[in-house]
Amino acid sequence: MIELAGLTKRYGRTTAVQDLTFSVRPGVVTGFLGPNGSGKSTTMRMILGLDHPSAGQVRIDGRRYHQLADPLTHIGALLEAKAVHPGRTAYHHLLCLAQSNDIPLRRIDDVLDLVGLAGVAKKRPKGFSLGMGQRLGIASALLGDPRILMFDEPVNGLDPEGIQWIRNLMKRLAAEGRTVFVSSHLMSEMALTADHLIVIGQGRLLADTSMARFIEENARTFVRVRSPDHERLRAALERAGGRPRQCPDGSLEIEDLPAARVGELAAENDVVLHELSHQQASLEEAFMRLTHESVEYHARAGR
Amino acid sequence: MSAENARRVLLSEWTKIRSVRSTLWTLVTAIVVTVALGMLISGLIGHNFDDLSPHERMTFDPTFISFAGTSLGQLALIAFGILVVSNEYSTGMIRASLTAVPVRGVLMAAKLAVAAALALVVGMVTSFLAFFLGQSVLGEHSTDIGQPGVLRAVFGGGLYMGLIALFAMGAAWTLRSPMLSFGILIPFFFLISGILANVPATEKVGHYLPDQAGSRVMRVMDDGEQPYGPWAGLLIMTIWVVGALLAGYAVLRKRDA
């Protein structure tokens, strides 16, 4: 469990994170979504005690980060920026972390196996690919077998196989009852992994909701139909109980009739169709709309 | 913090130091450069002793001559001190280190303890090697470790090298960036400090610079230029070291990692 209360970070006159209050619960993958520069990484660094908050605080299992005894056994994190000395072998990197937190040394081989780096344990990371570097970071996070895991943009720059692997790993960790907190600037990525969603924009909390709820509220499905004779079509649709909406480009959108029924009605009335399609407003659009509003609001409020 | 906790963090820092190649190379360089240059200069002076002026012969300090390589060799120890600390920042490792050991003073103390102990051991080995090998090439003009003040100078030489590395660590905690640390410390100790201590206008102040004051301990013959004795000189250097470390701790504590 991670709890943020009024967490704020100011750099001079700019506010990077403003009054964030939310909890990240165990057993589910919680997505932390926001555009680039919205304060996700800063928030995560404050959770780890790397950056000092200007106001507010973070509790991890009820305690402040620096009060945790052997913190790596409570919370493991993969940060976006590299946190590995390129000249120190993968094994020694994990060894120094394990020693400082009294983690059994067999865990080093376990996590290297788990992330698929056992073969390069004695190699220096300067020769690692982006994906291998990411895997070493994940191995560091898992080293202490912590109940809480935090990943900052874990799929950035990974190949499809690597992305698939991380998605499955996060789901598995959550299924084991752990707290999994993962940030991304891509809604599509979150839609595939997260059960719960925390959205921020300009450092402010915009949404704290379950993924299902977010989809239900934001993912509108409808039928688009285009016809040279759209007045007659509209009348036919209205007789069938539909409420078509006229779009600026001349097409009609209907939310309350399925595409098949719209086609049948057109045939019954001898209306020629140029287009009949099922549409789904993407979550990406919903997310953009949400964060865009916050940008607008912010710009106006700041004036 | 418990003793058990301290033991773990020290062990972890020891692993960090021994698993990076640059550490080994700077320390090997420190020994080789100091000893080799000391022998070279001892050999040259021993060979040309008769060409020295009567005053130079009077104040001839064979112990100090064998430490002639220190001025260059110390740069390798400064590099060691800088690299041990600032590499954490330049590589991002500091984020992993601080998430593992979040109480910043504990991390800093453990790193300093391990790195300073290593620098001190290397400093002592260098100092004794430079002395004995330097004396061996000085031939008839050499001194021996039993003479008054000689053991103090040789032992002090080792302390000096440990302290100069520790000063570099304090400066690196303060400056963070390896480029900045190298850019300031290397020219300062290689050139600027020596100039300040020898130009009449700045001489009085120059004597109190850390390396100038600290190196007094390596002299057996007092040339009368420095207004303090060997141990007072080392104390002045120690004050500089403590100041650098306090500044480093203040930065580490206050700033975001």
Side-chain angles (χ1 to χ4, degrees):
Chain A
M1 179 88 135
I2 309 172
E3 294 159 287
L4 279 66
L7 199 66
T8 301
K9 179 70 179 179
R10 282 184 287 269
Y11 296 103
R13 292 172 66 184
T14 52
T15 303
V17 172
Q18 186 158 9
D19 199 22
L20 282 187
T21 301
F22 63 81
S23 302
V24 186
R25 286 180 300 277
V28 292
V29 176
T30 300
F32 190 29
L33 191 62
N36 287 325
S38 56
K40 301 187 297 294
S41 294
T42 305
T43 303
M44 287 187 155
R45 284 201 306 271
M46 286 193 283
I47 290 173
L48 296 172
L50 294 174
D51 287 10
H52 305 295
S54 309
Q57 56 174 314
V58 180
R59 301 224 169 237
I60 289 145
D61 288 338
R63 273 178 292 173
R64 309 282 289 273
Y65 192 93
H66 70 267
Q67 293 169 336
L68 297 170
D70 299 329
L72 298 184
T73 63
H74 291 266
I75 176 168
L78 168 77
L79 290 175
E80 193 180 11
K82 278 237 162 69
V84 173
H85 191 305
R88 183 177 290 126
T89 67
Y91 176 82
H92 280 116
H93 175 72
L94 296 172
L95 177 63
C96 71
L97 294 177
Q99 287 170 332
S100 66
N101 277 246
D102 202 27
I103 295 163
L105 298 190
R106 59 175 167 74
R107 281 292 298 166
I108 298 172
D109 296 325
D110 290 353
V111 293
L112 282 170
D113 264 335
L114 180 68
V115 302
L117 288 181
V120 293
K122 305 285 177 189
K123 292 263 181 350
R124 296 172 199 274
K126 68 179 90 177
F128 282 11
S129 67
L130 195 62
M132 288 162 82
Q134 204 77 327
R135 284 166 189 262
L136 180 55
I138 291 169
S140 316
L142 296 173
L143 185 64
D145 199 17
R147 299 300 298 167
I148 305 174
L149 285 140
M150 199 161 78
F151 303 100
D152 194 4
E153 302 272 4
V155 302
N156 258 9
L158 289 189
D159 56 17
E161 201 186 333
I163 293 175
Q164 189 65 38
W165 179 79
I166 288 196
R167 279 182 197 147
N168 291 336
L169 174 72
M170 290 190 297
K171 287 181 180 166
R172 197 169 72 229
L173 291 167
E176 290 167 5
R178 299 177 209 256
T179 303
V180 180
F181 190 42
V182 53
S183 80
S184 176
H185 62 280
L186 295 174
M187 182 68 215
S188 50
E189 181 56 39
M190 291 286 89
L192 289 167
T193 41
D195 310 294
H196 194 89
L197 202 57
I198 286 163
V199 184
I200 66 168
Q202 304 265 329
R204 293 155 189 268
L205 185 67
L206 301 178
D208 181 354
T209 171
S210 75
M211 195 71 210
R213 182 94 184 268
F214 186 85
I215 291 172
E216 192 188 319
E217 284 176 0
N218 293 288
R220 194 167 62 94
T221 62
F222 59 92
V223 174
R224 169 170 291 151
V225 61
R226 199 188 299 272
S227 165
D229 198 3
H230 75 261
E231 282 308 329
R232 224 144 56 78
L233 178 62
R234 172 201 282 269
L237 292 170
E238 281 171 351
R239 276 199 302 279
R243 275 167 302 169
R245 199 164 62 85
Q246 178 88 46
C247 292
D249 66 353
S251 66
L252 295 172
E253 286 182 359
I254 312 107
E255 286 185 30
D256 31 21
L257 291 174
R261 184 79 190 107
V262 174
E264 287 162 13
L265 286 168
E268 284 164 18
N269 292 276
D270 288 332
V271 174
V272 174
L273 294 187
H274 287 173
E275 181 189 346
L276 172 61
S277 60
H278 182 81
Q279 301 279 329
Q280 175 154 31
S282 74
L283 289 172
E284 207 70 54
E285 279 169 34
F287 164 55
M288 299 259 277
R289 212 181 315 126
L290 188 63
T291 53
H292 187 67
E293 278 161 14
S294 89
V295 173
E296 298 263 286
Y297 165 76
H298 201 68
R300 236 176 284 129
R303 217 178 282 157
Chain B
M1 187 185 57
S2 67
E4 171 56 22
N5 197 356
R7 191 192 62 82
R8 287 178 201 165
V9 183
L10 287 170
L11 190 60
S12 160
E13 287 301 324
W14 170 240
T15 300
K16 279 189 198 169
I17 277 198
R18 71 182 173 85
S19 59
V20 172
R21 283 178 183 150
S22 60
T23 322
L24 178 71
W25 285 115
T26 50
L27 294 176
V28 169
T29 306
I31 299 178
V32 171
V33 169
T34 311
V35 174
L37 194 61
M39 285 173 74
L40 181 71
I41 292 177
S42 299
L44 285 173
I45 292 192
H47 202 73
N48 299 310
F49 190 79
D50 297 337
D51 301 339
L52 297 177
S53 70
H55 175 74
E56 282 170 327
R57 272 185 255 177
M58 274 258 293
T59 58
F60 185 68
D61 188 341
T63 309
F64 193 64
I65 292 296
S66 59
F67 292 139
T70 310
S71 58
L72 204 60
Q74 68 174 351
L75 299 182
L77 277 165
I78 291 168
F80 165 76
I82 293 174
L83 287 176
V84 162
V85 174
S86 66
N87 268 358
E88 290 257 349
Y89 288 96
S90 60
T91 62
M93 182 67 194
I94 188 70
R95 288 184 283 269
S97 298
L98 282 175
T99 46
V101 185
V103 181
R104 296 184 177 196
V106 172
L107 180 73
M108 183 177 178
K111 189 180 283 296
L112 289 175
V114 171
L118 195 55
L120 187 65
V121 168
V122 169
M124 285 296 171
V125 169
T126 307
S127 193
F128 278 88
L129 270 180
F131 174 77
F132 285 115
L133 294 175
Q135 298 314 309
S136 74
V137 294
L138 269 171
E140 55 176 313
H141 309 294
S142 66
T143 181
D144 73 83
I145 198 89
Q147 295 297 314
V150 172
L151 180 60
R152 178 263 295 158
V154 179
F155 184 74
L159 285 179
Y160 173 87
M161 284 186 245
L163 282 170
I164 201 88
L166 206 48
F167 180 82
M169 288 176 226
W173 280 113
T174 316
L175 299 166
R176 294 185 167 202
S177 139
M179 283 303 127
L180 204 58
S181 307
F182 276 109
I184 293 175
L185 294 187
I186 298 293
F188 180 80
F189 285 111
F190 185 57
L191 221 57
I192 298 169
S193 152
I195 293 172
L196 291 176
N198 286 296
V199 171
T202 54
E203 199 180 22
K204 284 210 162 55
V205 182
H207 285 317
Y208 291 94
L209 292 171
D211 57 330
Q212 299 299 327
S215 57
R216 170 67 180 87
V217 80
M218 290 182 263
R219 289 180 193 274
V220 174
M221 305 290 285
D222 185 0
D223 60 3
E225 279 184 21
Q226 286 153 310
Y228 41 74
W231 293 115
L234 209 61
L235 180 68
I236 293 168
M237 184 186 194
T238 306
I239 292 168
W240 278 94
V241 170
V242 171
L245 293 176
L246 287 176
Y249 178 64
V251 169
L252 176 65
R253 237 186 99 87
K254 277 268 179 287
R255 286 187 47 188
D256 293 335

